[in-house]
C-alpha cells in the first residue's frame, strides 16, 4: 500500500487566497483525521471523519476552514480566505476501527501564507 | 486548554545515555499511544497501551502506563542518534465522543 497521500507537499500563497489541501487515505480505513502542527501549539486535531461523515469538527479554528470527504478515498481541507497565522504543517491520517488503532500519517503539507 | 502535558519539552543527551520522558493528564485515559516524529515526516506509532500498570518493551524502549491510567512514561536505554525525534503521546477518550488529544511533545536530540 502507498500509505496516506497528501498534496501538495508545499504551498506558498498570499494572504486572502483560497488554499485547498488534499488527502487520500489508506484503502479500507474507515477513519480520516486532519491535524495542524505548529511550534506554538503542537499537533492539534482539526476534524475527523468516520465512514465519510464528519464526527467532531470542534478543532476547526473558525469558519474560514472547511473539510469534506465526498468518498472513502478522498478528503479536502480548504482555507478561504487564508491568513498568515494559518501557516503550519497540515497532516492527514487514517486508521481502521478508530480509537485504539494505529493512525497512519501522511507526509504533511507545509503551508506558508505571506 | 492543554489536556496532556509532556516533560521534558526538550532533551539533548549523549549517545549511550539513558532517558525517560513523561506524559501526564488530570483525567483518566481510555488508551494511550506513543508516536515518534522525525523531521519532515509525519508521526509514526511506537506502541499502544490500554491497561493500567501495563509495561511494553520495544527493543531499547520501555513504555509504562500508570496504574491509575492518568500518566505514562517512555524509557530509552543506551540512546542512539537514530532515536532523535519528537516523541508524542496521544490520549483516547472513548467515553467523551471518541476525542483524541496529542501531548505537547518531547524533542529529543541524541548527540553521537
Amino acid at each position: 500500500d502507498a500509505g496516506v497521500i497528501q498534496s501538495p507537499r508545499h504551498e506558498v500563497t498570499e494572504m486572502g487566497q483560497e488554499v485547498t489541501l488534499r488527502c487520500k487515505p489508506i484503502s479500507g480505513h474507515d477513519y480520516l483525521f486532519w491535524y495542524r502542527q505548529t511550534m506554538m501549539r503542537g499537533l492539534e486535531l482539526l476534524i475527523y471523519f468516520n465512514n465519510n461523515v464528519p464526527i467532531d469538527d470542534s478543532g476547526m479554528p473558525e469558519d474560514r476552514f472547511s473539510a469534506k470527504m465526498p468518498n472513502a478515498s478522498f478528503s479536502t481541507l480548504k482555507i478561504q480566505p487564508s491568513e498568515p497565522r494559518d501557516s503550519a504543517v497540515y497532516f492527514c491520517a487514517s486508521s481502521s476501527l478508530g480509537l485504539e488503532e494505529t493512525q497512519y500519517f501522511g507526509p504533511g503539507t507545509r503551508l506558508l501564507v505571506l | 486548554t492543554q489536556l496532556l502535558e509532556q516533560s521534558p519539552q526538550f532533551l539533548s543527551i549523549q549517545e549511550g545515555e539513558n532517558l525517560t520522558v513523561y506524559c501526564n493528564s488530570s483525567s483518566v485515559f481510555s488508551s494511550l499511544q506513543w508516536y515518534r516524529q522525525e523531521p519532515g515526516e509525519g508521526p509514526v506509532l511506537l506502541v499502544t497501551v490500554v491497561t493500567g500498570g501495563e509495561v511494553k518493551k520495544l527493543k531499547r524502549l520501555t513504555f509504562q502506563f500508570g496504574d491509575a491510567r492518568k500518566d505514562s512514561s517512555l524509557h530509552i536505554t543506551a540512546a542512539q542518534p537514530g532515536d532523535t525525534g519528537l516523541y508524542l503521546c496521544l490520549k483516547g477518550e472513548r467515553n467523551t465522543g471518541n476525542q483524541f488529544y496529542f501531548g505537547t511533545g518531547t524533542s529529543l536530540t541524541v548527540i553521537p
Side-chain angles (χ1 to χ4, degrees), chain A residues 45-48 55-61, chain B residues 99 101:
Chain A
L45 176 65
L46 300 177
I47 185 172
Y48 77 93
I55 302 301
D56 183 357
D57 66 354
S58 59
M60 296 286 264
Chain B
Q99 296 174 332
Y101 303 104

Side-chain angles (χ1 to χ4, degrees), chain A residues 37 48 99 101-103 110, chain B residues 33 35 37 40 45 98:
Chain A
Q37 188 174 39
Y48 77 93
L99 183 60
E101 295 297 317
T102 303
Q103 292 189 38
R110 283 149 185 80
Chain B
Q33 296 178 327
Y35 286 77
Q37 183 180 18
L45 180 71
N98 287 343

Side-chain angles (χ1 to χ4, degrees), chain B residues 72-85:
Chain B
S72 181
S73 64
L74 159 59
H75 182 79
I76 302 178
T77 302
Q80 299 178 0
D83 297 326
T84 293

Side-chain angles (χ1 to χ4, degrees), chain B residues 95-110:
Chain B
N95 294 328
T96 53
N98 287 343
Q99 296 174 332
F100 305 86
Y101 303 104
F102 268 102
T104 49
T106 293
S107 180
L108 171 66
T109 301
V110 182

Side-chain angles (χ1 to χ4, degrees), chain A residues 2-98:
Chain A
V4 175
I5 300 172
Q6 290 187 248
S7 64
R9 292 293 307 274
H10 303 272
E11 177 80 30
V12 180
T13 190
E14 292 185 346
M15 181 175 61
Q17 297 297 307
E18 177 179 295
V19 175
T20 299
L21 311 181
R22 298 173 176 80
C23 175
K24 176 178 169 55
I26 292 173
S27 177
H29 282 186
D30 297 328
Y31 286 78
L32 184 140
F33 308 84
W34 281 102
Y35 291 92
R36 176 173 68 177
Q37 188 174 39
T38 61
M39 287 294 294
M40 291 296 294
R41 299 177 65 87
L43 195 59
E44 303 173 278
L45 176 65
L46 300 177
I47 185 172
Y48 77 93
F49 296 82
N50 178 214
N51 290 322
N52 312 336
V53 176
I55 302 301
D56 183 357
D57 66 354
S58 59
M60 296 286 264
E62 48 195 276
D63 291 345
R64 297 184 297 105
F65 286 69
S66 62
K68 294 182 179 180
M69 193 166 186
N71 57 63
S73 60
F74 183 66
S75 177
T76 59
L77 178 67
K78 186 176 292 187
I79 308 173
Q80 167 64 17
S82 58
E83 297 182 3
R85 60 188 168 131
D86 302 331
S87 298
V89 182
Y90 291 82
F91 287 102
C92 175
S94 70
S95 77
S96 59
L97 304 180

